[in-house]
mmCIF file of all heavy atoms in Angstrom:
data_model
loop_
_atom_site.group_PDB
_atom_site.id
_atom_site.type_symbol
_atom_site.label_atom_id
_atom_site.label_comp_id
_atom_site.label_asym_id
_atom_site.label_seq_id
_atom_site.Cartn_x
_atom_site.Cartn_y
_atom_site.Cartn_z
ATOM 1 N N PRO A 179 174.645 -10.287 61.812
ATOM 2 C CA PRO A 179 174.716 -9.017 61.029
ATOM 3 C C PRO A 179 174.807 -9.338 59.590
ATOM 4 O O PRO A 179 175.471 -10.325 59.164
ATOM 5 C CB PRO A 179 176.054 -8.409 61.587
ATOM 6 C CG PRO A 179 176.366 -9.142 62.870
ATOM 7 C CD PRO A 179 175.766 -10.510 62.704
ATOM 8 N N VAL A 180 174.153 -8.498 58.778
ATOM 9 C CA VAL A 180 174.168 -8.645 57.308
ATOM 10 C C VAL A 180 174.563 -7.356 56.655
ATOM 11 O O VAL A 180 173.853 -6.340 56.849
ATOM 12 C CB VAL A 180 172.796 -9.202 56.768
ATOM 13 C CG1 VAL A 180 172.932 -9.456 55.284
ATOM 14 C CG2 VAL A 180 172.350 -10.397 57.520
ATOM 15 N N ALA A 181 175.607 -7.378 55.851
ATOM 16 C CA ALA A 181 176.061 -6.206 55.128
ATOM 17 C C ALA A 181 175.515 -6.300 53.683
ATOM 18 O O ALA A 181 175.875 -7.193 52.906
ATOM 19 C CB ALA A 181 177.560 -6.114 55.145
ATOM 20 N N ILE A 182 174.655 -5.339 53.280
ATOM 21 C CA ILE A 182 174.073 -5.300 51.995
ATOM 22 C C ILE A 182 174.759 -4.112 51.265
ATOM 23 O O ILE A 182 174.794 -3.026 51.742
ATOM 24 C CB ILE A 182 172.564 -5.134 52.000
ATOM 25 C CG1 ILE A 182 171.879 -6.284 52.701
ATOM 26 C CG2 ILE A 182 171.994 -4.965 50.598
ATOM 27 C CD1 ILE A 182 170.401 -6.130 52.852
ATOM 28 N N ILE A 183 175.289 -4.424 50.078
ATOM 29 C CA ILE A 183 175.992 -3.388 49.318
ATOM 30 C C ILE A 183 175.381 -3.212 47.971
ATOM 31 O O ILE A 183 175.112 -4.147 47.251
ATOM 32 C CB ILE A 183 177.526 -3.833 49.149
ATOM 33 C CG1 ILE A 183 178.196 -3.996 50.501
ATOM 34 C CG2 ILE A 183 178.253 -2.845 48.291
ATOM 35 C CD1 ILE A 183 179.608 -4.585 50.398
ATOM 36 N N ASP A 184 175.127 -1.970 47.631
ATOM 37 C CA ASP A 184 174.583 -1.554 46.304
ATOM 38 C C ASP A 184 173.179 -1.949 46.021
ATOM 39 O O ASP A 184 172.732 -1.885 44.863
ATOM 40 C CB ASP A 184 175.483 -2.029 45.118
ATOM 41 C CG ASP A 184 176.821 -1.269 45.129
ATOM 42 O OD1 ASP A 184 176.897 -0.235 45.743
ATOM 43 O OD2 ASP A 184 177.779 -1.810 44.488
ATOM 44 N N SER A 185 172.395 -2.376 47.024
ATOM 45 C CA SER A 185 171.037 -2.686 46.841
ATOM 46 C C SER A 185 170.190 -1.489 46.367
ATOM 47 O O SER A 185 169.272 -1.600 45.612
ATOM 48 C CB SER A 185 170.419 -3.249 48.126
ATOM 49 O OG SER A 185 169.026 -3.431 48.034
ATOM 50 N N TYR A 186 170.599 -0.313 46.855
ATOM 51 C CA TYR A 186 169.872 0.955 46.500
ATOM 52 C C TYR A 186 169.857 1.193 44.986
ATOM 53 O O TYR A 186 168.974 1.906 44.472
ATOM 54 C CB TYR A 186 170.492 2.175 47.221
ATOM 55 C CG TYR A 186 171.799 2.577 46.710
ATOM 56 C CD1 TYR A 186 171.945 3.601 45.775
ATOM 57 C CD2 TYR A 186 173.008 1.960 47.102
ATOM 58 C CE1 TYR A 186 173.182 4.006 45.288
ATOM 59 C CE2 TYR A 186 174.231 2.340 46.642
ATOM 60 C CZ TYR A 186 174.309 3.350 45.736
ATOM 61 O OH TYR A 186 175.548 3.769 45.238
ATOM 62 N N LYS A 187 170.820 0.656 44.298
ATOM 63 C CA LYS A 187 170.931 0.897 42.836
ATOM 64 C C LYS A 187 169.829 0.215 42.022
ATOM 65 O O LYS A 187 169.582 0.556 40.898
ATOM 66 C CB LYS A 187 172.313 0.427 42.327
ATOM 67 C CG LYS A 187 173.470 1.258 42.866
ATOM 68 C CD LYS A 187 174.781 0.732 42.331
ATOM 69 C CE LYS A 187 176.011 1.545 42.808
ATOM 70 N NZ LYS A 187 177.267 1.077 42.311
ATOM 71 N N VAL A 188 169.173 -0.726 42.640
ATOM 72 C CA VAL A 188 168.128 -1.496 41.928
ATOM 73 C C VAL A 188 166.885 -0.710 41.658
ATOM 74 O O VAL A 188 166.443 -0.483 40.513
ATOM 75 C CB VAL A 188 167.818 -2.807 42.607
ATOM 76 C CG1 VAL A 188 166.743 -3.605 41.876
ATOM 77 C CG2 VAL A 188 169.076 -3.670 42.766
ATOM 78 N N PHE A 189 166.218 -0.184 42.765
ATOM 79 C CA PHE A 189 164.988 0.517 42.666
ATOM 80 C C PHE A 189 165.088 2.001 42.994
ATOM 81 O O PHE A 189 164.258 2.779 42.654
ATOM 82 C CB PHE A 189 163.943 -0.089 43.545
ATOM 83 C CG PHE A 189 163.490 -1.462 43.125
ATOM 84 C CD1 PHE A 189 163.021 -2.374 44.095
ATOM 85 C CD2 PHE A 189 163.452 -1.822 41.806
ATOM 86 C CE1 PHE A 189 162.640 -3.623 43.696
ATOM 87 C CE2 PHE A 189 163.045 -3.110 41.435
ATOM 88 C CZ PHE A 189 162.614 -4.013 42.408
ATOM 89 N N ASP A 190 166.163 2.408 43.641
ATOM 90 C CA ASP A 190 166.243 3.777 44.149
ATOM 91 C C ASP A 190 167.096 4.704 43.331
ATOM 92 O O ASP A 190 167.428 5.840 43.693
ATOM 93 C CB ASP A 190 166.756 3.737 45.587
ATOM 94 C CG ASP A 190 165.806 3.131 46.526
ATOM 95 O OD1 ASP A 190 165.612 1.883 46.474
ATOM 96 O OD2 ASP A 190 165.151 3.800 47.349
ATOM 97 N N THR A 191 167.466 4.200 42.106
ATOM 98 C CA THR A 191 168.094 5.082 41.134
ATOM 99 C C THR A 191 167.364 4.929 39.828
ATOM 100 O O THR A 191 166.747 3.894 39.563
ATOM 101 C CB THR A 191 169.624 4.729 40.859
ATOM 102 O OG1 THR A 191 169.647 3.374 40.364
ATOM 103 C CG2 THR A 191 170.392 4.778 42.189
ATOM 104 N N ASN A 192 167.388 5.926 38.987
ATOM 105 C CA ASN A 192 166.618 5.879 37.735
ATOM 106 C C ASN A 192 167.501 5.300 36.631
ATOM 107 O O ASN A 192 167.779 5.914 35.614
ATOM 108 C CB ASN A 192 166.189 7.331 37.317
ATOM 109 C CG ASN A 192 165.129 7.312 36.283
ATOM 110 O OD1 ASN A 192 164.342 6.364 36.173
ATOM 111 N ND2 ASN A 192 165.048 8.391 35.491
ATOM 112 N N SER A 193 167.880 4.006 36.789
ATOM 113 C CA SER A 193 168.816 3.373 35.890
ATOM 114 C C SER A 193 168.394 1.922 35.626
ATOM 115 O O SER A 193 167.788 1.280 36.464
ATOM 116 C CB SER A 193 170.218 3.410 36.402
ATOM 117 O OG SER A 193 171.137 2.657 35.617
ATOM 118 N N ILE A 194 168.704 1.440 34.402
ATOM 119 C CA ILE A 194 168.477 0.032 34.110
ATOM 120 C C ILE A 194 169.787 -0.671 33.775
ATOM 121 O O ILE A 194 169.779 -1.747 33.206
ATOM 122 C CB ILE A 194 167.467 -0.127 32.986
ATOM 123 C CG1 ILE A 194 167.901 0.578 31.679
ATOM 124 C CG2 ILE A 194 166.109 0.310 33.373
ATOM 125 C CD1 ILE A 194 167.042 0.311 30.488
#
Side-chain angles (χ1 to χ4, degrees):
V180 184
I182 299 177
I183 301 174
D184 289 342
S185 173
Y186 72 95
K187 294 180 179 179
V188 179
F189 291 150
D190 294 70
T191 61
N192 196 27
S193 171
I194 58 173

